[in-house]
Amino acid sequence: MDTAQQFATGMSGASTRLSVMTSGSHSQPPHDAAGFATDTSFELLKPLGEVTDPIASHSGEGDRETRLTQGRVGVLKTPHGNINTPAFIPVATKATVKTLTPEQVRSAGAQAILSNAYHLYLQPGPDIVDEAGGVATFENWHGPTYTDSGGFQVMSLGVGYKKVLAMDSKVSEDKVIAQQKKRMAIVDEDGVDFRSVIDGSKHRFTPEVSMQIQHQLGADIMFAFDELTTLANTRKYQEASVERTHRWAKRCLEEHQRQTELRSHRPLQSLWGVVQGAQYEDLRRQAARGLVQLSEEAEAEGKRGFGGFGIGGALEKENLGTIVEWVSQELPDNKPRHLLGISEPDDLFTAIAAGADTFDCVAPTRLGRRGGVYTLDGRMNLSNARFRRDFTPVDAEVGGYVSENYTRAYIHHLLRAKEYLAGTLCTLHNLHFMIKLVDNIREAMLQGRFEEYRAEFMGRYYGPGWEQRLG
C-alpha cells in the first residue's frame, strides 16, 4: 500500500496487542458509569523495538545498522475518554483552536486538545472557567484535555520572544532577551514575577499558584510549573535551573495533593512532571530521575505522584531524537510521555521513535492562517499567484473535508481577499493532515512496518536526502 492509499484509507490488520497493563498496578483502573477511567493511566500495546538507522544505512558503508528504540504504541486512558498513542494534540491556547469550532477539530480526527494556563489565567480567568464546569465544558469539547503550566509563556513572552525562545547554542548569556524588548519576567527561588502581555499589569506565578489555576481549569492532564531556559543560558545556570525546577516539582506535587482533596467534587486530574536540562545529557537524565524519585516517594506515602511526564525546554532540531531518547530511557514504562512542542512532519517520526507518546504543536494552525498547507509532496502556500487558476483540490490523495469540497483557486481567492474562511479551511486541512499522519505511523508500528512507511512518506515529502533530516 503506497503513501497516498494509506492517507485515504488508513491501515488495518493491527498486530495483536500485548497483555501489559502499565497503570502502576496490576489491575485495571476503575471506570465511571460512562465507561471512562476515573483516573488517568497508560496501557502499553506494543513496543516499536529495533529500527534501522537511516543515515548510517544510506551512507552505503557496511551492513545496515539497527538500534533499539523507545517508541511504543499504547492507550492513554482519562476520565473524559481514551487517547490512542502516539497521538498529535492540537493546541487550543485560549480554549479554542484558532479559526475552528470544536466540532471541526473533532472532525479532523483530534482525540484531545491542549490549552494554556497562562493565557486563560489572564483572560477570562480560571474562576470563570471553573464556574463553567472546567475547560472542556467551557469550550464544548467532548474529550480529554491538557493544560500546560504557563511556564513557557511566562518566560518566553517575558524575554520578548513571543512564540519561541533564543535557539542559538553558540551564545552564552544568562540575561538573554530579544532585541529592543524590555524584560517582563524575573525568576527567583519562590516563583516568577511577570507582566501581562495584555495590559502590562503585574502578576506572580509560583508552583502553588500554577496548580491552583490548573485545578480550576479542570483539564484531565496538567503539567508541573517549571523554569524554561534558553540554549543561550550558561551551563552553570542550566544546572541551577534543573535543581530549582526539581524543587518546584515537589511543591507542585504537594499542592496537587491538597487541591485534589479540596476538589473531590471534580474528576481526578493527572499531574505530569516536566523534564528540563537543555542539550546536556547528564542534566536531562538527572532531571528525569529526580522527578521519578519524587513521584515514587509521594506514592509510597499514599499520595498522588506524577501520572506522566513532559519533555520540555529549548533544544536544537538536530538533537531532538537524542534528547527525547535520553529522557525516555530514564522514565518508567508504565507512565506516558508528552513532548511539549514540535515543528515539522519529520519531527513526528523522530519523536515517536525516541519514545514520545503524545505531542503538541502550533505549526499546523499558525501555518494555515498564513495560507500554508501540507501535502504529500511537501508544503506550499496557496496565496502564491500560481494557484489563481488551479481548480484542483489541496491534496486529493490526502482527502478530508477541505480537499473534497474546495479548490486551490478558491482558497487562493479567499486569502487574497483576506476572508476569514481562508484560515479556517487551511487550518482544518493541516490538522487533518498531521493527525492522519500520526495515525498512520501508529498503524505502521502495529503492523511492523514503521521503517517502510517512514521511507515512503519522507522520500516523497522531502525528496532525495530525506535521511539527513533525522540526524
Side-chain angles (χ1 to χ4, degrees), residues 71 80 89 102 110 127 134 144 160 175-176 191 223 277 334 338 399 412 423 426 438 471:
H80 290 93
I89 312 299
D127 56 321
K175 295 183 179 180
V176 62
F223 293 95
N334 66 338
H338 181 87
H412 169 82
C426 291
V438 177

Side-chain angles (χ1 to χ4, degrees), residues 193-327:
D193 288 314
F194 66 96
R195 289 184 178 275
S196 166
V197 293
I198 297 176
D199 58 11
S201 57
K202 294 182 179 180
H203 301 268
R204 182 169 180 79
F205 268 17
T206 65
E208 292 80 10
V209 169
S210 178
M211 290 299 94
Q212 292 159 16
I213 291 171
Q214 291 190 81
H215 268 274
Q216 286 183 294
L217 295 178
D220 296 295
I221 297 163
M222 56 187 182
F223 293 95
F225 189 63
D226 59 319
E227 180 186 4
L228 175 67
T229 59
T230 77
L231 293 179
N233 288 114
T234 61
R235 162 76 191 210
K236 182 177 180 181
Y237 190 89
Q238 300 285 8
E239 292 173 354
S241 178
V242 165
E243 293 173 356
R244 178 162 40 245
T245 292
H246 178 86
R247 293 189 291 272
W248 285 3
K250 187 175 189 298
R251 290 164 58 187
C252 284
L253 277 174
E254 292 169 350
E255 184 62 20
H256 175 51
Q257 180 68 29
R258 191 176 78 87
Q259 290 294 322
T260 299
E261 294 170 357
L262 286 174
R263 298 173 57 83
S264 59
H265 60 292
R266 294 294 196 193
L268 286 173
Q269 295 173 258
S270 182
L271 173 62
W272 293 16
V274 179
V275 180
Q276 293 287 352
Q279 72 271 37
Y280 300 104
E281 179 177 4
D282 60 329
L283 295 185
R284 286 285 182 175
R285 292 186 183 275
Q286 171 192 328
R289 291 173 191 152
L291 292 174
V292 172
Q293 181 180 0
L294 285 178
S295 184
E296 291 176 345
E297 289 173 352
E299 291 170 355
E301 296 175 2
K303 299 178 181 178
R304 291 179 67 75
F306 291 123
F309 299 90
I311 304 171
L315 50 85
E316 294 169 311
K317 181 181 177 72
E318 58 266 30
N319 294 328
L320 172 67
T322 301
I323 291 173
V324 174
E325 186 173 63
W326 291 339
V327 174

